[in-house]
Amino acid sequence: MDIGTTLTRFLIEQQRHLPGATGTFTALLEEIAIAAKIVGREVNKAGLAKTMGLTGRTNIHGEAVQALDDFANWTIIRALDHTGLLAAMASEEMEEVFPIPEHHPRGPYVLVFDPVDGSSNIDVNVSIGTIFSIYRCADPEHPQVSDFLRRGREQLCAGYVIDSYSPILVYTTGSGVHGFTLDPTIGEFLLSHEDLQIPTQATIYSVNEARSPTWDPRVRGYVDGLKGTGRSARYIGSLVADFHRNLLKGGIFLYPAEVRAPNGKLRLVYEANPLAFIIEQAGGSASTGHTRILDVRPESLHERVPLVIGSPQDVAEFEAALRAPQEQQV
Ligand code: AHG
Ligand code: MN
Ligand code: MN
């Protein structure tokens, strides 16, 4: 009986079309998939296990660190630190870069990730996920934070895993966007969404409207203009889950700049950039409202960026709204 195409088989087949491909991404993505399955197992029993609740600590962003944030962070590090494929890792939950320890071989890439995106949803059984991105390392013997402060257009690979009743891993290496759904009976991610393309126009918009008093009036005008157009409002509070639904159905996700937070809330390096690489490969767009996300040069590992991402027509309309003169509030 044909079980379908496993992630490994698909990666090997893809590798054949990539000149000079060495199989490194195959090994990296396989290890990431294993880490994701381990995290997913904890998520599935989080309600019963110790991996729920708060650690009592706050991270560099001043946000409460959930036990699962910590667990997922170190699960990913332990899954990849011995592979000889990476020189260093960085994550939302670590202030500094984590160089691969001397007793492990180093490799030519660096991995940056958000171990649990949507942490506030862990204890209410709403979908959460892991977002990751891979860059080349300039000097694997001396990895630097500068290896992570690359423009998003320099990414070699980006992806995410969503922990839901049907876990899915989605990735791109620049040759389209492909989704793999976990078959729990065999513990394998099987190809379920080959060459995903986002619908040109959104049918859904995702934004936390409670924040609207803090927005530029033109943003408020744009969002108000979406109402009564037949679109649906959907907001899960896990970027990766909102993103994935919009990718499949056509949608626009917005976390705009705010009066007191001109760079918005979401992080450029391990939230906006990986999803921007994916959405452009799927025919969509990702912007700060003024600039293509993949062209923004990060100044620091944890910097934030306003994000509007999804169907290309809607992102273009948002950017046009922000170009209107301030006094002519849209
Ligand atoms: P994280 O859990 O990694 O900190 O990310 C949470 C982010 C993102 O997942 C989500 O879209 C956004 O925070 C929700 O923010 P609000 O609760 O302010 O809407
Ligand atoms: Mn996040
Ligand atoms: Mn997170």
Side-chain angles (χ1 to χ4, degrees):
M1 173 219 155
D2 180 6
I3 63 163
T5 303
T6 63
L7 174 63
T8 303
R9 181 173 151 189
F10 187 82
L11 287 163
I12 291 169
E13 288 168 359
Q14 286 274 306
Q15 205 177 294
R16 289 200 191 110
H17 308 315
L18 298 175
T22 60
T24 306
F25 282 145
T26 301
L28 266 174
L29 280 165
E30 283 174 337
E31 295 296 341
I32 290 170
I34 291 169
K37 285 185 253 186
I38 297 168
V39 172
R41 183 185 61 192
E42 286 305 305
V43 169
N44 291 340
K45 62 180 186 177
L48 305 170
K50 300 183 298 305
T51 46
M52 206 168 99
L54 300 173
T55 59
R57 286 183 292 106
T58 55
N59 63 18
I60 182 182
H61 317 278
E63 295 161 344
V65 176
Q66 303 267 358
L68 197 68
D69 286 321
D70 257 1
F71 175 83
N73 188 64
W74 293 103
T75 297
I76 293 167
I77 286 183
R78 278 192 289 272
L80 288 128
D81 65 1
H82 60 285
T83 58
L85 302 169
L86 299 173
M89 291 184 249
S91 101
E92 176 192 0
E93 303 307 332
M94 301 186 295
E95 190 163 350
E96 308 297 334
V97 166
F98 176 86
I100 296 301
E102 301 291 335
H103 58 277
H104 286 313
R106 287 190 173 164
Y109 302 106
V110 294
L111 171 75
V112 60
F113 56 96
D114 176 356
V116 178
D117 176 62
S119 303
S120 61
N121 282 326
I122 292 171
D123 52 0
V124 293
N125 294 72
V126 170
S127 295
I128 55 178
T130 299
I131 309 171
F132 61 89
S133 189
I134 298 169
Y135 293 88
R136 190 169 302 285
C137 182
D139 174 2
E141 283 317 306
H142 306 94
Q144 312 283 336
V145 67
S146 55
D147 290 307
F148 296 87
L149 303 182
R150 303 294 184 74
R151 287 189 175 88
R153 64 181 188 236
E154 295 179 57
Q155 288 175 90
L156 299 173
C157 175
Y160 57 84
V161 181
I162 294 181
D163 290 307
S164 68
Y165 66 90
S166 174
I168 187 165
L169 181 150
V170 174
Y171 84 92
T172 186
T173 54
S175 305
V177 176
H178 311 291
F180 299 78
T181 299
L182 184 66
D183 178 339
T185 63
I186 56 172
E188 282 288 344
F189 280 104
L190 301 180
L191 183 64
S192 53
H193 300 75
E194 186 167 3
D195 201 14
L196 277 164
Q197 289 292 305
I198 188 168
T200 307
Q201 185 164 30
T203 56
I204 293 164
Y205 71 95
S206 308
V207 66
N208 181 347
E209 297 213 45
R211 317 284 308 170
S212 70
T214 69
W215 297 339
D216 178 308
R218 293 168 295 182
V219 172
R220 259 199 309 276
Y222 171 80
V223 172
D224 287 344
L226 296 175
K227 296 170 182 159
T229 61
R231 290 178 175 83
S232 295
R234 294 281 186 277
Y235 194 72
I236 298 171
S238 294
L239 165 62
V240 68
D242 279 314
F243 175 88
H244 183 70
R245 181 209 49 242
N246 291 353
L247 170 60
L248 267 57
K249 295 186 177 294
I252 184 169
F253 174 98
L254 309 101
Y255 210 107
E258 302 180 350
V259 172
R260 287 200 186 82
N263 290 327
K265 172 182 182 180
L266 298 175
R267 279 56 60 110
L268 172 59
V269 175
Y270 41 80
E271 289 175 316
N273 267 336
L275 298 183
F277 185 17
I278 291 168
I279 205 70
E280 289 200 1
Q281 282 289 311
S285 307
S287 167
T288 64
H290 302 285
T291 310
R292 179 189 181 222
I293 287 287
L294 294 182
D295 288 339
V296 178
R297 178 189 288 282
E299 301 296 327
S300 64
L301 194 54
H302 301 287
E303 78 181 53
R304 301 174 191 269
V305 69
L307 178 66
V308 55
I309 186 167
S311 294
Q313 191 168 309
D314 300 77
V315 173
E317 286 165 6
F318 179 82
E319 291 178 319
L322 273 188
R323 284 195 296 271
Q326 188 91 21
E327 58 279 358
Q328 291 169 15
Q329 292 170 9
V330 176

